[in-house]
Amino acid sequence: MGNLDTLIQDLVIANRILARKEVVDAYGHVSVRHRENPNRFLIARSLAPELVGPDDIVELDLDGQPVRDEHRSLYLERFIHAAIFAARPDVMAVVHAHAEDTLPFGIAQEAKLRPVIHSGSFIGTEVPVWDIADNFGDTNLLVTNMEQGRDLAKCVGGNSVALMRGHGFAAAAPTLIEVVRASVYLPRNARALMRAKQLGGPIKYLSSGEIAARNRGYSPYSVETWRAWEYWAKKAGCGHMLTRPNDGQSHVANR
Amino acid sequence: MGNLDTLIQDLVIANRILARKEVVDAYGHVSVRHRENPNRFLIARSLAPELVGPDDIVELDLDGQPVRDEHRSLYLERFIHAAIFAARPDVMAVVHAHAEDTLPFGIAQEAKLRPVIHSGSFIGTEVPVWDIADNFGDTNLLVTNMEQGRDLAKCVGGNSVALMRGHGFAAAAPTLIEVVRASVYLPRNARALMRAKQLGGPIKYLSSGEIAARNRGYSPYSVETWRAWEYWAKKAGCGHMLTRPNDGQSHVANR
Amino acid sequence: MGNLDTLIQDLVIANRILARKEVVDAYGHVSVRHRENPNRFLIARSLAPELVGPDDIVELDLDGQPVRDEHRSLYLERFIHAAIFAARPDVMAVVHAHAEDTLPFGIAQEAKLRPVIHSGSFIGTEVPVWDIADNFGDTNLLVTNMEQGRDLAKCVGGNSVALMRGHGFAAAAPTLIEVVRASVYLPRNARALMRAKQLGGPIKYLSSGEIAARNRGYSPYSVETWRAWEYWAKKAGCGHMLTRPNDGQSHVANR
Amino acid sequence: MGNLDTLIQDLVIANRILARKEVVDAYGHVSVRHRENPNRFLIARSLAPELVGPDDIVELDLDGQPVRDEHRSLYLERFIHAAIFAARPDVMAVVHAHAEDTLPFGIAQEAKLRPVIHSGSFIGTEVPVWDIADNFGDTNLLVTNMEQGRDLAKCVGGNSVALMRGHGFAAAAPTLIEVVRASVYLPRNARALMRAKQLGGPIKYLSSGEIAARNRGYSPYSVETWRAWEYWAKKAGCGHMLTRPNDGQSHVANR
């Protein structure tokens, strides 16, 4: 199987995992940068992520336009992905989603979302909140053009995640596996922090040294990370699509 | 398939989606106005929504009475639907349900339920709370006659949703798809607001300009709205019933 | 099918519904008084309720002892049932369970559990809290003899439900259907009240007039109550066991 | 079936139950001490617990090293198990997991986690919180060597459970069944306590006399404990693996 086919299959797996983990439902999307051409990225046509298959993946440029004739509908908010890929050469994968437990931190902005659990370290020391109203006034809250996308990308800056007020979040990472992990653990970290705050007293956040130590040691294809990816893919019903991209070998476990 | 048959199938889908989304359980109901005769509406006979099929749909008039001989039991609270259809010619579909996370806002009335998430814009700027005790004293809290139904409809007024104290909510919309969306996103918006309040500090609600902007751009058969309807119907096990009513063409996806 | 067989099947259905609704898990039990002999009641042998079938039902006397030779293990806490049936001739069915969302109100006793939702009216105006430590000191918290059972029954008094501190609840009702409903709606009412309290401001409880109005109009075999029983039984996988006991006719819906 | 085979099957069941109960997901592990050689213990190779089968079980020594040639990857944090088995001859089984609802008590440490429900008595009167930063500074929070494992074991001391700040918990017990029970009921007890605190007013914890009374009467192979183990194993899809270890007889129920 060629490189591009493998990438497309991984993107399908990412779609299914995010659906299974309830990070996305009818809405929300995940994309991955093209390996040969960094000015292009892959994303599904307008479809609920759980229903996405390889034939639903389309190739867009960094203005969010399809590089081939495409008669099928595209995600309205594909500009989120285009603008982040354009602003951040280090980013290879992007998620936009509405995961419910991230929403309160965008709505009650005095409460900063920061990592409190080890798996939350992927979200970084800072999680900025982007409010579309600041620069665009009264909108339908959706990111529907490049100008809005670039404004959001500016807010993301060098961070891994930005919350979007009253809407959801955008996450960016150096690999597909990492962006899925960040998207799965972001709401989990949010719940742990919400509940810790309800218990009262001082909160012990991860220190910046701990976040750095976790990132230093992190490899997306380590045994530990692959263990989760493989398990989540199986739970999402697409264990048969698994390929370990760094060596081209299939590591589908036999159970 | 005729117009009426299509409408009945859509109503069955709406029943199943609301059950799958846990907006209704053994109780709660959804109705749609008759297309040819605006003085009639369609609703299931007394049955848990998840079990409803085309043969369970009955036709009632705006007093909540069956237009044909009907020996089967009807919903006790069908007067909610009759009264709202009578009061609001613009309304084509109504839901009454007890979705759990909407209840606290009817019980602790100082906390107003207002949209804080973009998908919550459908509930409108105001969500009045109707208390049956105000005009009817000590009842079993159910809306069991037209007088009570009309009192509730008056409280709904020109809004999309009214909470019913200690009981649930009534939602009204120009299409079946919109009333289902409002019913699905109402508890989601309620949870986001409850949790944001627990975090403390000021809450950023949707502005009235944002609510207006969202409603302006909204079309129940847009690609984006249809994407959710199609996905939810498939998850509810009735993807095979899908018909896109505005063009008469079937858009059942092949996956 | 004879009267006793029907009663046993209904008791099996009750076990399965309570498991499906997560009122019971490995622990918790439901019993029903014998129809011909009011000094006996039926309950499962020691078994997780979801696994209970007709052959697992045993007959006990009002001291909690089996009326026939029984080599199989019995529930340790069967004395809860025996004592309530002995103290309350009006009671025909009893549930004891640990439903998680009822526990906080037994632990933080300043917050009284009272009905706030219409379906919570079955729990009555007062929900006393029984603390086994008051009269028995340091125990394992289980009700393992008649003396403890009688003490609990005294606390239940003429009410429908008593919470048991750090343990769960006991519910008593005139029919099996009603005791199952009370057990399903008790945690739901508890959640609605907890969340309303978190929202702040005054709480609107059901008035005693409303509770009375609901009880007055209540019939366990009304169309509305049966609708839930039938639906819950089907969801619990035992729709085929349904019999409508008041007329001897099977009302198993054909879907 | 030999003693060791039975133990391995029980360990597989424990893995599956913990996955089904959402105590573990892709991460987290359970181990049991070898019966003939107390200086060894059994644990799965690096694999999500839900996927573990008998062939995935490996034998490690009390330094966390495999006693046989092993080319497969091992859990990074196996030193948690090794160090607790080394420090506590009375402990026969250990769990390490990240169960979400235990996390807030490690993050907001002023709120002590203590038993408030009868099934929470297994966690003991004290639940110390271990913070890896206290002695090891900025780490990735994982216990990746014996020195860290010993430090954690010292914090566990003679207790049954220690929380690990921002990470999860470690539980130790005299049998596999007990360590699984403690791990299942720990988050349940945490939720009950969190919600009771939100209700306000004084909290009634289990008294130390009650905890002692429960432990005194406890037998891991009593009818009551076995009832849960059997039920949980069936729900986890491995009812066919059940063996009652104290008598060598199979007690697989016929339903």
Side-chain angles (χ1 to χ4, degrees):
Chain A
M1 200 160 54
N3 237 345
L4 186 62
D5 288 343
T6 302
L7 193 64
I8 287 173
Q9 284 218 347
D10 284 349
L11 185 55
V12 169
I13 293 173
N15 270 278
R16 304 275 188 91
I17 289 176
L18 291 171
R20 169 86 189 181
K21 291 283 185 182
E22 298 184 358
V23 175
V24 298
D25 42 42
Y27 302 107
H29 12 82
V30 51
S31 64
V32 66
R33 198 190 287 267
H34 199 289
R35 280 195 193 136
E36 274 87 47
N37 187 338
N39 294 318
R40 295 180 177 179
F41 66 97
L42 304 170
I43 192 169
R45 67 176 178 98
S46 177
L47 193 63
E50 186 178 334
L51 306 178
V52 167
D55 295 343
D56 299 307
I57 304 299
V58 295
E59 202 174 318
L60 307 186
D61 65 25
L62 297 191
D63 288 320
Q65 299 310 321
V67 300
R68 284 181 204 88
D69 266 5
E70 183 59 61
H71 66 283
R72 297 173 299 180
S73 302
L74 302 177
Y75 289 131
L76 270 190
E77 297 197 286
R78 61 195 182 274
F79 306 102
I80 295 173
H81 303 259
I84 293 177
F85 284 125
R88 290 273 300 273
D90 61 312
V91 163
M92 298 303 282
V94 173
V95 164
H96 165 60
H98 308 157
E100 192 176 306
D101 292 322
T102 65
L103 297 169
F105 288 91
I107 296 166
Q109 300 179 5
E110 269 183 22
K112 299 290 177 210
L113 182 53
R114 288 172 49 196
V116 284
I117 58 174
H118 75 306
S119 51
S121 65
F122 299 98
I123 67 177
T125 42
E126 287 286 318
V127 180
V129 180
W130 181 69
D131 189 340
I132 194 171
D134 288 345
N135 287 324
F136 300 95
D138 284 337
T139 65
N140 65 1
L141 277 89
L142 303 179
V143 176
T144 54
N145 60 48
M146 279 307 290
E147 195 189 350
Q148 292 170 338
R150 281 187 208 109
D151 194 61
L152 168 59
K154 203 170 140 188
C155 176
V156 172
N159 298 297
S160 302
V161 178
L163 298 181
M164 300 160 74
R165 188 266 305 168
H167 182 173
F169 72 88
T175 64
L176 203 46
I177 287 187
E178 281 162 284
V179 85
V180 168
R181 282 175 80 86
S183 302
V184 167
Y185 289 128
L186 181 70
R188 185 176 163 98
N189 187 84
R191 283 190 297 272
L193 179 53
M194 277 194 279
R195 286 168 191 156
K197 279 171 170 287
Q198 286 166 15
L199 285 177
I203 302 290
K204 275 210 186 176
Y205 295 93
L206 296 205
S207 73
S208 53
E210 287 174 330
I211 295 172
R214 286 188 62 75
N215 287 340
R216 252 197 318 277
Y218 186 73
S219 153
Y221 300 109
S222 71
V223 168
E224 287 71 33
T225 301
W226 186 257
R227 192 203 315 167
W229 182 256
E230 185 187 47
Y231 176 58
W232 293 347
K234 286 181 180 181
K235 296 287 281 184
C238 46
H240 60 288
M241 289 188 186
L242 281 165
T243 320
R244 196 156 177 158
N246 58 344
D247 56 13
Q249 275 187 278
S250 169
H251 280 250
V252 182
N254 56 359
R255 185 174 309 105
Chain B
M1 198 158 57
N3 238 345
L4 186 62
D5 289 344
T6 302
L7 193 63
I8 286 173
Q9 284 219 346
D10 283 348
L11 185 56
V12 170
I13 293 172
N15 271 278
R16 304 276 187 90
I17 289 176
L18 291 171
R20 169 88 190 180
K21 290 283 184 183
E22 298 184 359
V23 175
V24 298
D25 42 41
Y27 302 106
H29 11 83
V30 50
S31 64
V32 66
R33 197 190 288 268
H34 199 289
R35 280 200 192 129
E36 273 87 48
N37 187 339
N39 294 318
R40 295 180 178 180
F41 66 96
L42 304 170
I43 192 168
R45 66 177 180 97
S46 177
L47 193 63
E50 187 179 333
L51 306 178
V52 167
D55 295 344
D56 299 307
I57 304 300
V58 295
E59 203 174 317
L60 306 186
D61 64 25
L62 297 191
D63 289 317
Q65 299 309 321
V67 300
R68 286 180 203 87
D69 266 5
E70 183 59 60
H71 65 284
R72 296 174 298 180
S73 301
L74 302 178
Y75 289 132
L76 270 189
E77 297 196 285
R78 59 196 184 275
F79 306 102
I80 295 172
H81 303 258
I84 294 177
F85 283 124
R88 290 273 299 273
D90 62 311
V91 163
M92 299 301 283
V94 172
V95 164
H96 165 61
H98 308 159
E100 193 176 305
D101 292 321
T102 64
L103 296 169
F105 287 91
I107 295 166
Q109 299 179 6
E110 270 182 21
K112 299 290 176 209
L113 182 54
R114 287 169 50 193
V116 283
I117 57 175
H118 76 304
S119 50
S121 65
F122 300 98
I123 66 178
T125 42
E126 288 284 319
V127 179
V129 181
W130 181 69
D131 189 340
I132 194 172
D134 289 344
N135 288 323
F136 300 96
D138 284 338
T139 65
N140 65 1
L141 276 89
L142 303 178
V143 177
T144 53
N145 59 49
M146 280 307 291
E147 194 189 351
Q148 293 171 336
R150 280 186 210 110
D151 194 60
L152 168 58
K154 203 170 140 187
C155 175
V156 173
N159 298 296
S160 303
V161 178
L163 297 181
M164 301 160 74
R165 189 265 307 169
H167 181 174
F169 71 88
T175 64
L176 202 46
I177 288 187
E178 281 161 286
V179 86
V180 168
R181 282 176 79 86
S183 301
V184 167
Y185 289 128
L186 181 70
R188 185 176 163 98
N189 187 85
R191 283 191 296 272
L193 178 52
M194 277 194 278
R195 287 168 190 157
K197 279 171 170 287
Q198 287 166 15
L199 286 177
I203 302 289
K204 275 209 184 175
Y205 294 94
L206 294 206
S207 73
S208 53
E210 287 174 330
I211 296 172
R214 284 188 63 75
N215 287 339
R216 252 198 319 277
Y218 187 74
S219 153
Y221 299 110
S222 72
V223 168
E224 286 71 34
T225 301
W226 186 257
R227 192 203 317 166
W229 181 256
E230 185 187 47
Y231 176 58
W232 292 348
K234 286 181 180 182
K235 296 287 281 184
C238 48
H240 59 289
M241 289 187 185
L242 282 165
T243 320
R244 196 155 177 158
N246 59 343
D247 55 13
Q249 275 187 279
S250 169
H251 281 250
V252 182
N254 55 359
R255 184 174 311 105
Chain C
M1 198 158 56
N3 238 345
L4 187 60
D5 289 343
T6 302
L7 193 63
I8 286 173
Q9 285 220 344
D10 283 347
L11 185 56
V12 170
I13 294 172
N15 271 278
R16 305 275 188 91
I17 289 175
L18 291 171
R20 167 90 190 179
K21 289 285 184 183
E22 298 184 358
V23 175
V24 298
D25 42 42
Y27 302 106
H29 11 84
V30 50
S31 64
V32 66
R33 198 189 287 268
H34 198 290
R35 280 198 193 131
E36 273 88 50
N37 187 338
N39 294 319
R40 294 179 178 181
F41 66 97
L42 304 170
I43 192 169
R45 67 176 179 96
S46 177
L47 194 63
E50 187 178 332
L51 307 178
V52 167
D55 294 344
D56 299 307
I57 303 300
V58 296
E59 202 174 318
L60 306 186
D61 65 25
L62 297 191
D63 288 318
Q65 299 310 320
V67 299
R68 286 180 203 88
D69 265 5
E70 183 61 58
H71 66 285
R72 296 174 298 180
S73 302
L74 302 178
Y75 289 131
L76 270 189
E77 297 197 287
R78 61 195 182 273
F79 306 102
I80 295 171
H81 303 259
I84 294 176
F85 283 125
R88 290 274 299 273
D90 62 312
V91 162
M92 299 303 282
V94 172
V95 165
H96 166 60
H98 308 158
E100 192 177 305
D101 291 321
T102 65
L103 297 169
F105 288 91
I107 295 166
Q109 299 179 6
E110 269 182 21
K112 300 288 177 213
L113 182 53
R114 288 171 48 194
V116 284
I117 57 175
H118 76 304
S119 50
S121 65
F122 299 98
I123 67 179
T125 43
E126 288 285 319
V127 179
V129 180
W130 181 70
D131 189 341
I132 192 172
D134 288 345
N135 287 324
F136 300 95
D138 283 338
T139 65
N140 65 0
L141 277 89
L142 303 179
V143 176
T144 54
N145 60 46
M146 280 307 290
E147 195 189 351
Q148 292 171 337
R150 280 186 209 108
D151 194 60
L152 169 58
K154 203 170 141 188
C155 176
V156 173
N159 298 297
S160 303
V161 177
L163 297 182
M164 301 160 75
R165 189 267 306 168
H167 181 173
F169 71 89
T175 64
L176 202 46
I177 288 187
E178 281 162 286
V179 87
V180 168
R181 283 175 79 86
S183 301
V184 167
Y185 288 128
L186 182 70
R188 186 177 163 97
N189 187 84
R191 283 190 297 273
L193 179 52
M194 278 194 277
R195 287 168 190 156
K197 278 172 170 286
Q198 286 166 16
L199 286 178
I203 301 290
K204 275 209 185 177
Y205 295 94
L206 295 205
S207 73
S208 53
E210 287 174 330
I211 295 171
R214 285 189 61 76
N215 287 341
R216 249 197 321 276
Y218 187 73
S219 154
Y221 300 110
S222 71
V223 168
E224 286 72 33
T225 301
W226 186 257
R227 193 205 314 168
W229 181 256
E230 184 187 47
Y231 176 58
W232 293 347
K234 287 181 179 182
K235 296 288 281 184
C238 47
H240 59 289
M241 290 188 183
L242 282 164
T243 322
R244 196 156 177 156
N246 60 342
D247 56 13
Q249 275 188 279
S250 169
H251 280 251
V252 182
N254 57 358
R255 182 174 312 105
Chain D
M1 199 159 53
N3 238 346
L4 186 61
D5 289 343
T6 302
L7 194 63
I8 286 173
Q9 285 219 346
D10 284 348
L11 185 55
V12 170
I13 293 173
N15 271 277
R16 306 275 188 90
I17 288 175
L18 291 171
R20 168 88 189 181
K21 289 285 185 183
E22 298 184 356
V23 175
V24 298
D25 41 43
Y27 302 107
H29 11 84
V30 51
S31 64
V32 66
R33 198 190 287 268
H34 198 289
R35 280 200 192 131
E36 274 87 49
N37 187 339
N39 294 319
R40 294 179 178 180
F41 67 97
L42 305 169
I43 192 169
R45 67 175 177 97
S46 177
L47 194 63
E50 186 178 333
L51 306 178
V52 167
D55 295 343
D56 299 307
I57 304 298
V58 296
E59 203 174 315
L60 306 185
D61 65 25
L62 297 191
D63 288 319
Q65 299 309 321
V67 300
R68 284 180 204 88
D69 265 4
E70 182 60 59
H71 65 283
R72 297 173 299 180
S73 302
L74 302 178
Y75 289 131
L76 270 189
E77 297 196 287
R78 59 195 183 275
F79 307 101
I80 295 172
H81 303 259
I84 293 176
F85 283 125
R88 289 274 300 274
D90 61 312
V91 163
M92 300 302 283
V94 173
V95 164
H96 165 61
H98 309 157
E100 193 176 305
D101 291 321
T102 65
L103 297 169
F105 288 92
I107 295 166
Q109 300 179 6
E110 269 183 22
K112 300 289 176 212
L113 183 54
R114 288 170 51 194
V116 285
I117 57 174
H118 76 304
S119 51
S121 65
F122 299 98
I123 67 177
T125 43
E126 287 286 319
V127 179
V129 180
W130 181 70
D131 189 339
I132 193 171
D134 288 345
N135 288 324
F136 300 95
D138 283 338
T139 66
N140 64 2
L141 278 89
L142 303 178
V143 177
T144 54
N145 59 49
M146 280 306 291
E147 195 189 350
Q148 293 171 337
R150 281 187 209 109
D151 194 61
L152 169 58
K154 204 170 138 187
C155 175
V156 173
N159 298 297
S160 303
V161 177
L163 298 182
M164 301 160 74
R165 188 265 307 168
H167 181 172
F169 71 88
T175 63
L176 203 47
I177 288 186
E178 281 161 286
V179 86
V180 168
R181 283 176 80 86
S183 302
V184 167
Y185 289 128
L186 182 70
R188 186 176 163 98
N189 186 84
R191 282 191 297 272
L193 178 53
M194 278 194 279
R195 287 168 189 157
K197 279 172 170 285
Q198 286 166 15
L199 285 178
I203 302 290
K204 276 211 185 177
Y205 294 94
L206 295 206
S207 73
S208 53
E210 287 174 330
I211 295 172
R214 285 188 62 75
N215 287 340
R216 252 197 319 277
Y218 187 73
S219 154
Y221 300 110
S222 71
V223 168
E224 286 72 32
T225 300
W226 186 257
R227 192 204 314 167
W229 182 256
E230 184 187 48
Y231 175 58
W232 292 347
K234 287 182 179 180
K235 295 288 282 183
C238 46
H240 60 289
M241 290 189 184
L242 283 164
T243 322
R244 195 156 177 158
N246 58 344
D247 55 14
Q249 275 188 277
S250 169
H251 281 251
V252 183
N254 57 359
R255 184 173 311 105

